[in-house]
Amino acid sequence: MSFLSFFGGFKVSLKQMAKTRVTWQYPLEKKPKASRLHGRHVLNRYEDGMEKCIGCELCAGVCPADCIYVRGADNPAGDPVSPGERYGFVYEINYLRCIHCDMCVEACPTEAITETKLFEFSFTNRSDAIYTKKELLVGDDGRPQHLPWEDWRPGDDLFTSAWMRATSPSGNAGYEGRVQWSGELGYGVRAPEGGQSGLRDDAATGIKEIRNRLKAHIALRKASIRIPGRRPKPAAGPVDSGTPDGAGPAGAGK
């Protein structure tokens, strides 16, 4: 009896082999990423090319993982780096510590630091895990730099400030969906994410319901769980108060 029970353990495995496969062939195929996914950081620039970071060190102060190191310096009088009096002279993020909580994004007063959708990167040594300002600062086209150990896919470098644009000043819902941020190099003024308000442009912000993003995957999954030979259960209809017994679905008891 115990010998037969050993083969009985493969019952579930054999049953799954006859069903439609829904496995994503990672890394060749990837699921769509959420619009507000917390990924690798970027340091943004204004539309005129000047850096947004003013070296205030608020991001480093609020970071719970103590992974950000910032040092500010006075702007050169003849060739300023940022519009303010100071700029971020040193900016480093240690991704061996970062937990991608986005508190640095919330604390930044100039929207200088935001996050992309990229979260797949690996390092061959510890020094590569410490991103410097040279690696974090966006290029002349406003796009994040693509480093050799990062797996960038189309769309990962878009909507980098989505999380910041989804919040309301001081939690006041009256300002939700209203533009109160500066433009970004290569993108201009980003469209607002309206949330529950009517001031929203999903086409411009890339917001899609998760069901629409994974519609094909859900359809395959539903097809795969159908058991051959078993009739699907009929959907329960609305309660019809006009039936003789006053309860149950319409047509019950006929």
Side-chain angles (χ1 to χ4, degrees), residues 124-152:
T124 56
N125 55 69
R126 295 177 64 88
S127 61
D128 289 340
I130 302 177
Y131 279 52
T132 63
K133 176 183 175 180
K134 182 179 179 180
E135 298 166 330
L136 294 170
L137 190 64
V138 297
D140 295 335
D141 58 353
R143 299 293 182 91
Q145 301 185 47
H146 296 189
L147 303 178
W149 52 84
E150 298 175 339
D151 186 13
W152 287 90

Side-chain angles (χ1 to χ4, degrees), residues 4-247:
L4 296 178
S5 300
F6 172 78
F7 288 99
F10 292 96
K11 180 180 179 181
V12 176
S13 301
L14 295 175
K15 184 184 298 183
Q16 295 295 327
M17 290 177 62
K19 296 182 180 180
T20 305
R21 297 184 180 181
V22 295
T23 303
W24 291 79
Q25 301 302 319
Y26 182 89
L28 301 179
E29 299 178 6
K30 294 186 180 181
K31 290 184 179 180
K33 299 176 182 177
S35 301
R36 300 175 185 174
L37 185 141
H38 297 185
R40 199 262 277 179
H41 299 78
V42 292
L43 290 176
N44 298 299
R45 299 159 66 179
Y46 290 101
E47 295 181 82
D48 58 1
M50 300 190 76
E51 299 177 9
K52 288 191 173 185
C53 180
I54 57 176
C56 65
E57 305 180 21
L58 283 175
C59 54
V62 76
C63 179
D66 196 21
C67 69
I68 301 178
Y69 176 76
V70 183
R71 281 294 176 266
D74 294 335
N75 264 315
D79 187 19
V81 180
S82 69
E85 297 180 358
R86 295 170 63 81
Y87 73 102
F89 178 69
V90 177
Y91 204 108
E92 296 179 353
I93 298 181
N94 187 345
Y95 279 102
L96 296 177
R97 295 183 177 182
C98 180
I99 59 176
H100 296 278
C101 64
D102 242 12
M103 292 188 67
C104 54
V105 178
E106 298 289 346
C108 182
T110 60
E111 304 106 29
I113 181 171
T114 54
E115 294 192 356
T116 66
K117 295 183 182 181
L118 173 74
F119 65 91
E120 296 152 304
F121 47 95
S122 58
F123 319 104
T124 56
N125 55 69
R126 295 177 64 88
S127 61
D128 289 340
I130 302 177
Y131 279 52
T132 63
K133 176 183 175 180
K134 182 179 179 180
E135 298 166 330
L136 294 170
L137 190 64
V138 297
D140 295 335
D141 58 353
R143 299 293 182 91
Q145 301 185 47
H146 296 189
L147 303 178
W149 52 84
E150 298 175 339
D151 186 13
W152 287 90
R153 299 299 172 94
D156 287 350
D157 53 359
L158 299 176
F159 314 117
T160 57
S161 56
W163 182 253
M164 178 273 300
R165 292 179 291 112
T167 58
S168 302
S170 301
N172 189 341
Y175 292 94
E176 184 179 353
R178 301 183 183 275
V179 176
Q180 299 186 66
W181 47 85
S182 57
E184 299 177 19
L185 179 64
Y187 298 97
V189 178
R190 302 267 193 170
E193 292 184 350
Q196 297 180 356
S197 70
L199 302 175
R200 58 187 302 164
D201 188 349
D202 292 346
T205 57
I207 298 297
K208 294 181 180 179
E209 293 184 2
I210 191 64
R211 180 167 295 275
N212 293 334
R213 287 179 174 271
L214 304 179
K215 184 178 296 183
H217 179 68
I218 293 174
L220 285 175
R221 185 167 183 81
K222 286 183 177 179
S224 66
I225 61 177
R226 295 173 183 168
I227 302 176
R230 177 178 296 181
R231 298 180 59 184
K233 295 181 179 180
V239 176
D240 186 4
S241 58
T243 53
D245 55 359

